[in-house]
């Protein structure tokens, strides 16, 4: 219970304990924001990569429809970037712990340090996915158009995408 110290006014020591200093109620917000940022940014990159590569495939497919199936590889690679963002988000969100009941009081289990580190991890993974998706989109667009003009460039395009 709450120590009232002799009168009806709670003391600061009874309100602020070690749990509330290291595990504030805002800590899960930062963790979940990191998970959401990873998923959002990586899928934004995947969408851009898919759209930009699709434009290149459409342009190339008019003149060389026989190469369209080969040219779909950048679209698949862009989609994988989005899946990486989802994986990061799932890993982060499973690490967030709900408060537990101990001796009649709710005790938080998720520290501010964990929330900040999960936010940083989600932002790093998300921005990496965004950059990778944009790079795949540019290479996919130009690479598929070049593939339509010279089919021997296929292996080179794949190596650039990797």
């Amino acid at each position: 219970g709450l120590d009232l110290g002799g009168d009806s006014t709670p003391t600061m020591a009874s309100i602020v304990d070690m749990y509330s200093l290291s595990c504030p109620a805002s800590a899960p917000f930062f963790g979940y924001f990191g998970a959401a940022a990873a998923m959002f940014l990586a899928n934004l990159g995947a969408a851009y990569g898919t759209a930009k590569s699709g434009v290149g495939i459409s342009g190339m497919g008019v003149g060389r429809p026989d190469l369209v199936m080969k040219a779909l590889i950048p679209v698949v690679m862009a989609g994988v970037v989005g899946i990486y963002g989802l994986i990061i988000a799932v890993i982060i969100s499973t690490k967030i712990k709900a408060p537990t009941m101990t001796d009649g009081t709710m005790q938080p289990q998720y520290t501010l340090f964990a929330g900040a580190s999960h936010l940083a991890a989600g932002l790093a993974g998300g921005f990496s996915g965004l950059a990778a998706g944009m790079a795949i989109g540019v290479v996919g667009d130009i690479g598929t158009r070049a593939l339509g003009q010279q089919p021997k460039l296929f292996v080179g395009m794949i190596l650039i995408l990797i």
Side-chain angles (χ1 to χ4, degrees):
L2 188 64
D3 178 25
L4 299 178
D7 61 354
S8 62
T9 308
T11 62
M12 186 57 92
S14 66
I15 296 172
V16 178
D17 57 8
M18 291 306 290
Y19 285 112
S20 60
L21 290 176
S22 64
C23 302
S26 61
F29 168 79
F30 295 109
Y32 283 120
F33 191 83
M39 195 158 50
F40 172 75
L41 292 169
N43 282 294
L44 186 64
Y48 180 84
T50 300
K52 189 90 167 136
S53 296
V55 168
I57 292 168
S58 298
M60 183 271 307
V62 172
R64 295 293 305 268
D66 55 314
L67 295 176
V68 169
M69 292 309 288
K70 271 185 155 180
L72 286 175
I73 291 176
V75 172
V76 172
M77 292 180 82
V80 169
V81 169
I83 294 170
Y84 288 157
L86 176 65
I87 291 169
I88 293 169
V90 167
I91 290 171
I92 290 173
S93 65
T94 58
K95 300 289 183 186
I96 299 173
K97 304 277 191 277
T100 59
M101 183 69 77
T102 306
D103 297 329
T105 61
M106 295 299 287
Q107 299 295 331
Q109 304 298 311
Y110 190 69
T111 64
L112 187 58
F113 178 80
S117 64
H118 289 152
L119 174 63
L123 288 173
F127 278 118
S128 296
L130 178 62
M134 293 178 76
I136 289 170
V138 171
V139 172
D141 183 18
I142 302 301
T144 53
R145 291 174 193 263
L147 179 67
Q149 295 176 4
Q150 177 55 264
K152 292 180 183 177
L153 292 174
F154 179 72
V155 174
M157 180 185 74
I158 298 303
L159 290 175
I160 292 170
L161 285 169
I162 293 173

